[in-house]
DNA sequence: CGGGCCTCCTGGTAGC
DNA sequence: TGCTACCAGGAGGCCC
Protein backbone atom coordinates (compact mmCIF):
# COMPACT_ATOMS: atom_id res chain seq x y z
CA UNK A 1 0.00 0.00 0.00
CA UNK A 2 2.36 2.66 1.17
CA UNK A 3 3.10 5.09 -1.59
CA UNK A 4 3.22 8.84 -1.21
CA UNK A 5 -0.52 9.36 -0.48
CA UNK A 6 -0.57 6.51 2.01
CA UNK A 7 2.50 7.77 3.81
CA UNK A 8 0.93 11.25 3.83
CA UNK A 9 -2.07 9.74 5.60
CA UNK A 10 0.26 8.01 8.09
CA UNK A 11 1.88 11.35 8.74
CA UNK A 12 -1.48 12.97 9.41
CA UNK A 13 -2.35 10.05 11.68
CA UNK A 14 0.82 10.43 13.71
CA UNK A 15 0.22 14.13 14.09
CA UNK A 16 -3.27 13.49 15.38
CA UNK A 17 -2.35 10.63 17.70
CA UNK A 18 1.30 10.44 18.63
CA UNK A 19 2.81 13.91 18.33
CA UNK A 20 4.00 15.24 20.67
CA UNK A 21 4.87 12.34 22.91
CA UNK A 22 8.01 11.46 24.80
CA UNK A 23 9.60 8.04 24.39
CA UNK A 24 10.17 6.07 27.57
CA UNK A 25 11.60 3.05 25.80
CA UNK A 26 11.36 1.07 22.64
CA UNK A 27 11.19 -2.53 21.62
CA UNK A 28 12.37 -4.11 18.39
CA UNK A 29 10.92 -7.58 17.94
CA UNK A 30 12.86 -8.39 14.77
CA UNK A 31 16.14 -6.67 14.01
CA UNK A 32 15.91 -7.52 10.33
CA UNK A 33 13.66 -4.50 9.99
CA UNK A 34 16.51 -2.20 11.04
CA UNK A 35 18.70 -0.43 8.53
CA UNK A 36 22.17 -1.84 7.98
CA UNK A 37 24.44 -0.76 10.80
CA UNK A 38 21.56 0.06 13.12
CA UNK A 39 20.94 -2.02 16.23
CA UNK A 40 18.04 -2.06 18.64
CA UNK A 41 20.42 -0.83 21.31
CA UNK A 42 21.71 2.01 19.18
CA UNK A 43 18.22 3.06 18.23
CA UNK A 44 17.18 2.87 21.86
CA UNK A 45 19.98 5.21 22.86
CA UNK A 46 18.88 7.76 20.30
CA UNK A 47 15.19 7.58 21.04
CA UNK A 48 15.08 7.19 24.79
CA UNK A 49 13.67 10.29 26.45
CA UNK A 50 13.33 11.91 23.05
CA UNK A 51 10.30 14.05 22.49
CA UNK A 52 8.65 13.31 19.17
CA UNK A 53 7.81 16.81 18.12
CA UNK A 54 7.49 17.02 14.37
CA UNK A 55 7.10 14.93 11.24
CA UNK A 56 8.21 15.18 7.65
CA UNK A 57 7.66 13.05 4.62
CA UNK A 58 10.06 12.49 1.77
CA UNK A 59 8.71 10.23 -0.92
CA UNK A 60 7.64 7.03 0.80
CA UNK A 61 9.65 7.77 3.94
CA UNK A 62 8.08 9.16 7.07
CA UNK A 63 10.47 11.03 9.33
CA UNK A 64 9.84 11.75 12.97
CA UNK A 65 11.96 14.32 14.76
CA UNK A 66 13.34 12.79 17.95
CA UNK A 67 14.73 15.60 20.03
CA UNK A 68 18.30 16.60 19.42
CA UNK A 69 19.50 13.23 18.28
CA UNK A 70 17.96 13.36 14.84
CA UNK A 71 15.18 11.81 12.83
CA UNK A 72 13.62 8.38 12.97
CA UNK A 73 12.90 7.35 9.38
CA UNK A 74 10.26 4.75 8.58
CA UNK A 75 9.89 3.02 5.26
CA UNK A 76 6.77 0.90 5.07
CA UNK A 77 7.53 -1.40 2.17
CA UNK A 78 4.50 -3.20 0.85
CA UNK A 79 2.70 -3.99 4.07
CA UNK A 80 3.67 -1.51 6.77
CA UNK A 81 1.61 0.95 8.78
CA UNK A 82 1.72 2.76 12.14
CA UNK A 83 -0.81 2.18 14.90
CA UNK A 84 -1.15 4.23 18.07
CA UNK A 85 -2.79 2.51 21.01
CA UNK A 86 -3.61 3.23 24.62
CA UNK A 87 -1.99 1.96 27.80
CA UNK A 88 -3.13 -1.53 28.64
CA UNK A 89 -4.14 -2.49 25.11
CA UNK A 90 -2.35 -5.18 23.16
CA UNK A 91 -0.09 -4.29 20.24
CA UNK A 92 -1.33 -5.33 16.80
CA UNK A 93 0.04 -8.52 15.30
CA UNK A 94 3.30 -8.23 13.37
CA UNK A 95 4.43 -5.23 15.41
CA UNK A 96 8.16 -5.08 14.69
CA UNK A 97 8.91 -1.75 16.34
CA UNK A 98 7.12 -0.40 19.36
CA UNK A 99 7.62 2.92 21.07
CA UNK A 100 6.39 3.16 24.64
CA UNK A 101 5.56 6.69 25.67
CA UNK A 102 5.93 8.22 29.11
CA UNK A 103 2.16 8.44 29.55
CA UNK A 104 1.80 4.70 28.96
CA UNK A 105 0.47 4.87 25.41
CA UNK A 106 2.28 3.24 22.51
CA UNK A 107 3.08 3.58 18.87
CA UNK A 108 3.43 0.34 16.96
CA UNK A 109 4.92 0.06 13.52
CA UNK A 110 3.46 -3.01 11.92
CA UNK A 111 4.92 -4.96 9.05
CA UNK A 112 3.40 -8.22 7.99
CA UNK A 113 6.25 -8.96 5.61
CA UNK A 114 9.76 -7.90 6.49
CA UNK A 115 9.93 -5.59 3.52
CA UNK A 116 10.43 -2.36 5.32
CA UNK A 117 13.13 -0.30 6.88
CA UNK A 118 13.78 1.60 10.07
CA UNK A 119 16.55 4.12 9.68
CA UNK A 120 17.95 7.03 11.59
CA UNK A 121 19.41 10.23 10.19
CA UNK A 122 20.78 13.49 11.54
CA UNK A 123 18.67 15.44 9.08
CA UNK A 124 16.02 14.73 6.45
CA UNK A 125 18.59 15.69 3.83
CA UNK A 126 20.99 13.10 5.12
CA UNK A 127 18.33 10.42 4.79
CA UNK A 128 17.56 11.45 1.20
CA UNK A 129 21.21 11.20 0.37
CA UNK A 130 21.69 7.87 2.10
CA UNK A 131 18.69 6.37 0.32
CA UNK A 132 19.44 8.05 -3.00
CA UNK A 133 16.09 9.78 -3.13
CA UNK A 134 15.25 12.41 -5.68
CA UNK A 135 13.11 15.36 -4.63
CA UNK A 136 9.68 14.58 -3.26
CA UNK A 137 7.04 14.37 -5.97
CA UNK A 138 5.01 17.13 -4.31
CA UNK A 139 7.96 19.40 -3.60
CA UNK A 140 7.07 22.80 -5.01
CA UNK A 141 10.62 23.01 -6.26
CA UNK A 142 9.76 20.28 -8.74
CA UNK A 143 7.89 22.49 -11.15
CA UNK A 144 6.81 21.59 -14.67
CA UNK A 145 10.06 22.82 -16.20
CA UNK A 146 12.24 20.85 -13.89
CA UNK A 147 10.04 17.77 -14.11
CA UNK A 148 9.98 17.78 -17.90
CA UNK A 149 13.74 18.28 -17.97
CA UNK A 150 14.26 15.17 -15.84
CA UNK A 151 12.24 12.84 -18.06
CA UNK A 152 12.26 14.20 -21.60
CA UNK A 153 14.70 12.22 -23.71
CA UNK A 154 15.32 9.67 -21.02
CA UNK A 155 15.73 6.01 -21.99
CA UNK A 156 13.38 3.28 -20.92
CA UNK A 157 9.66 2.93 -20.36
CA UNK A 158 7.53 5.59 -18.78
CA UNK A 159 6.11 3.60 -15.88
CA UNK A 160 9.41 2.38 -14.40
CA UNK A 161 10.76 5.91 -14.83
CA UNK A 162 7.94 7.35 -12.74
CA UNK A 163 8.59 4.70 -10.10
CA UNK A 164 12.30 5.44 -9.94
CA UNK A 165 12.74 6.96 -6.48
CA UNK A 166 16.10 8.46 -7.31
CA UNK A 167 14.53 10.73 -9.92
CA UNK A 168 11.37 11.80 -8.10
CA UNK A 169 10.41 10.13 -4.82
CA UNK A 170 6.95 8.93 -3.86
CA UNK A 171 5.29 7.25 -6.83
CA UNK A 172 4.82 3.49 -6.62
CA UNK A 173 3.18 0.81 -8.68
CA UNK A 174 -0.40 1.78 -7.98
CA UNK A 175 -0.26 5.55 -8.36
CA UNK A 176 1.92 5.24 -11.44
CA UNK A 177 -1.02 3.46 -13.07
CA UNK A 178 -3.41 6.19 -11.99
CA UNK A 179 -1.21 9.00 -13.24
CA UNK A 180 -0.64 7.29 -16.58
CA UNK A 181 -4.35 6.61 -17.00
CA UNK A 182 -5.28 10.21 -16.31
CA UNK A 183 -2.50 11.50 -18.53
CA UNK A 184 -3.58 9.16 -21.33
CA UNK A 185 -0.15 7.59 -21.65
CA UNK A 186 0.52 3.88 -22.08
CA UNK A 187 2.85 2.54 -19.35
CA UNK A 188 5.17 0.95 -21.90
CA UNK A 189 5.67 4.12 -23.90
CA UNK A 190 9.30 5.10 -24.17
CA UNK A 191 10.17 8.22 -22.19
CA UNK A 192 11.96 9.71 -25.16
CA UNK A 193 8.85 9.15 -27.24
CA UNK A 194 7.03 11.80 -25.19
CA UNK A 195 7.73 15.43 -25.86
CA UNK A 196 8.27 18.16 -23.33
CA UNK A 197 4.63 19.17 -23.55
CA UNK A 198 3.48 15.65 -22.64
CA UNK A 199 5.82 15.62 -19.67
CA UNK A 200 4.47 18.94 -18.49
CA UNK A 201 0.99 17.44 -18.67
CA UNK A 202 2.26 14.43 -16.73
CA UNK A 203 3.55 16.77 -14.05
CA UNK A 204 0.20 18.52 -13.68
CA UNK A 205 -1.66 15.21 -13.51
CA UNK A 206 0.85 13.77 -11.04
CA UNK A 207 0.42 16.66 -8.63
CA UNK A 208 -3.34 16.58 -8.84
CA UNK A 209 -3.53 12.81 -8.32
CA UNK A 210 -1.07 12.71 -5.43
CA UNK A 211 -2.59 15.69 -3.64
CA UNK A 212 -6.14 14.48 -4.10
CA UNK A 213 -5.28 10.96 -2.98
CA UNK A 214 -3.28 12.22 0.01
CA UNK A 215 -6.21 14.29 1.19
CA UNK A 216 -8.76 11.53 0.65
CA UNK A 217 -6.60 8.90 2.35
CA UNK A 218 -5.97 11.17 5.31
CA UNK A 219 -9.70 11.76 5.69
CA UNK A 220 -10.46 8.08 5.29
CA UNK A 221 -12.44 8.71 2.13
CA UNK A 222 -12.55 6.87 -1.15
CA UNK A 223 -10.82 8.13 -4.24
CA UNK A 224 -13.02 10.15 -6.60
CA UNK A 225 -15.14 8.38 -9.16
CA UNK A 226 -13.39 8.49 -12.49
CA UNK A 227 -10.20 7.18 -10.94
CA UNK A 228 -8.69 4.03 -12.38
CA UNK A 229 -7.81 2.83 -8.89
CA UNK A 230 -11.37 3.06 -7.74
CA UNK A 231 -12.59 1.19 -10.81
CA UNK A 232 -9.92 -1.42 -10.26
CA UNK A 233 -11.27 -2.12 -6.78
CA UNK A 234 -14.90 -2.22 -7.85
CA UNK A 235 -16.22 -3.19 -11.25
CA UNK A 236 -12.96 -3.27 -13.23
CA UNK A 237 -14.52 -1.12 -15.93
CA UNK A 238 -12.84 1.82 -17.63
CA UNK A 239 -14.27 4.99 -16.04
CA UNK A 240 -14.58 6.43 -19.55
CA UNK A 241 -16.88 3.66 -20.71
CA UNK A 242 -14.46 1.50 -22.67
CA UNK A 243 -15.29 -1.76 -20.97
CA UNK A 244 -12.95 -4.05 -19.05
CA UNK A 245 -9.68 -2.60 -17.85
CA UNK A 246 -6.62 -4.55 -18.94
CA UNK A 247 -4.27 -6.17 -16.49
CA UNK A 248 -0.75 -6.84 -17.63
CA UNK A 249 2.82 -6.74 -16.35
CA UNK A 250 5.32 -4.00 -16.86
CA UNK A 251 8.84 -4.64 -15.62
CA UNK A 252 7.48 -7.45 -13.50
CA UNK A 253 4.79 -5.43 -11.77
CA UNK A 254 1.02 -5.78 -12.06
CA UNK A 255 -0.23 -2.97 -14.26
CA UNK A 256 -3.79 -1.84 -14.97
CA UNK A 257 -4.73 0.29 -17.92
CA UNK A 258 -7.25 1.09 -20.62
CA UNK A 259 -5.68 0.81 -24.06
CA UNK A 260 -8.45 2.97 -25.55
CA UNK A 261 -7.62 5.82 -23.17
CA UNK A 262 -3.87 5.31 -23.13
CA UNK A 263 -1.64 5.36 -26.17
C1' DC B 1 22.34 -0.53 -20.81
C1' DG B 2 17.30 -1.37 -20.80
C1' DG B 3 14.42 -4.96 -19.70
C1' DG B 4 13.49 -9.38 -17.84
C1' DC B 5 13.93 -12.14 -13.99
C1' DC B 6 15.16 -13.44 -9.23
C1' DT B 7 15.27 -12.64 -4.28
C1' DC B 8 13.93 -10.95 0.11
C1' DC B 9 9.50 -11.95 3.33
C1' DT B 10 4.73 -13.56 4.78
C1' DG B 11 0.06 -14.70 4.22
C1' DG B 12 -4.22 -14.95 1.53
C1' DT B 13 -6.53 -17.14 -2.04
C1' DA B 14 -7.49 -19.65 -6.35
C1' DG B 15 -7.17 -23.99 -8.25
C1' DC B 16 -6.51 -28.90 -8.37
C1' DT C 1 -10.17 -30.82 3.12
C1' DG C 2 -5.22 -30.41 2.00
C1' DC C 3 -1.70 -28.99 -0.66
C1' DT C 4 0.51 -26.15 -4.13
C1' DA C 5 1.22 -22.22 -6.98
C1' DC C 6 0.84 -17.78 -7.46
C1' DC C 7 0.07 -13.22 -6.16
C1' DA C 8 0.53 -8.72 -3.42
C1' DG C 9 0.81 -1.40 -3.33
C1' DG C 10 8.83 -2.03 -2.41
C1' DA C 11 13.37 -2.32 -3.89
C1' DG C 12 18.05 -4.08 -5.01
C1' DG C 13 20.91 -7.11 -7.79
C1' DC C 14 22.20 -9.94 -11.70
C1' DC C 15 22.50 -11.32 -16.42
C1' DC C 16 22.05 -10.92 -21.48
Amino acid sequence: MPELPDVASFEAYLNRAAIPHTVARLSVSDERILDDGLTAQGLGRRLKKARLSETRRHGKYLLVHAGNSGWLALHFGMTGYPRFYDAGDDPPGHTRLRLDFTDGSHLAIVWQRMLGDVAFAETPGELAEAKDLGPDALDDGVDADRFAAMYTGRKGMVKPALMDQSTVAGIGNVYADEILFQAGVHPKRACNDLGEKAWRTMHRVMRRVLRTASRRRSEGKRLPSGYLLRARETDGQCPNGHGDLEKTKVSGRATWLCSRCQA
Side-chain angles (χ1 to χ4, degrees), chain A residues 12-63:
Chain A
Y13 172 74
L14 249 62
N15 279 295
R16 282 196 305 271
I19 306 290
H21 266 89
T22 299
V23 179
R25 58 194 191 87
L26 91 171
S27 151
V28 176
S29 62
D30 194 324
E31 293 215 8
R32 288 177 299 172
I33 208 68
L34 300 180
D35 205 8
D36 287 343
L38 194 58
T39 62
Q41 206 174 31
L43 191 62
R45 267 200 306 279
R46 288 172 163 124
L47 288 180
K48 197 167 181 183
K49 296 185 182 171
R51 184 168 181 267
L52 307 186
S53 56
E54 183 187 351
T55 61
R56 302 269 180 91
R57 185 191 52 67
H58 189 126
K60 301 172 189 173
Y61 280 85
L62 177 56
L63 294 116

Side-chain angles (χ1 to χ4, degrees), chain A residues 185-220:
Chain A
V185 173
H186 194 286
K188 289 190 175 178
R189 262 311 259 296
C191 290
N192 60 18
D193 197 35
L194 293 181
E196 193 190 327
K197 189 179 170 209
W199 281 111
R200 296 174 73 93
T201 300
M202 191 83 75
H203 175 260
R204 180 168 43 76
V205 170
M206 174 192 79
R207 285 184 66 91
R208 189 181 64 224
V209 166
L210 295 179
R211 294 178 73 124
T212 300
S214 295
R215 193 174 340 107
R216 297 266 179 150
R217 289 277 186 244
S218 297
E219 294 170 353

Side-chain angles (χ1 to χ4, degrees), chain A residues 113-147:
Chain A
R113 296 153 74 187
M114 296 295 294
L115 305 175
D117 190 21
V118 175
F120 202 88
E122 301 278 319
T123 63
E126 184 191 284
L127 178 87
E129 185 156 343
K131 301 298 178 184
D132 192 22
L133 301 178
D136 184 77
L138 288 178
D139 185 336
D140 288 337
V142 183
D143 59 15
D145 285 342
R146 193 170 161 203
F147 186 86

Side-chain angles (χ1 to χ4, degrees), chain A residues 64-84:
Chain A
V64 184
H65 191 41
N68 294 326
S69 57
W71 296 76
L72 173 67
L74 302 169
H75 185 259
F76 296 94
M78 289 171 84
T79 62
Y81 61 91
R83 186 65 72 235
F84 180 82

